[in-house]
Amino acid sequence: MTAETDTQTTTVYRVTGMTCGHCEGAVTGEIAALPGVASVKAVAASGEVTVVSAAPLADEDVRAAVDEAGYEFAGRV
């Protein structure tokens, strides 16, 4: 899912393998480091990661960040 406003884009991604707060923090930290990201909220229970950014992010960039955190990018919700 992607929603755009005049100034920001909100996209929800599915990430598998997260089981706890530490997992959420690892994924959040890696995605937050991407250029243009304003906020990240990862929820282990649902496997959803909501990202607010200045412009739409390339899925490849998000996948690389999730991989770096040690989890699996499963696409957009």
Side-chain angles (χ1 to χ4, degrees):
M1 177 184 97
T2 301
E4 294 186 33
T5 65
D6 290 339
T7 57
Q8 294 185 320
T9 299
T10 301
T11 308
V12 181
Y13 300 96
R14 172 96 45 219
V15 174
T16 60
M18 295 189 299
T19 58
C20 64
H22 173 75
C23 301
E24 294 170 347
V27 170
T28 296
E30 290 296 334
I31 295 175
L34 294 173
V37 172
S39 70
V40 181
K41 178 174 172 78
V43 180
S46 66
E48 292 184 355
V49 180
T50 303
V51 180
V52 178
S53 55
L57 301 174
D59 284 352
E60 301 81 34
D61 293 341
V62 177
R63 179 184 306 277
V66 171
D67 285 349
E68 183 65 28
Y71 302 93
E72 185 176 341
F73 176 81
R76 295 178 189 221
V77 172

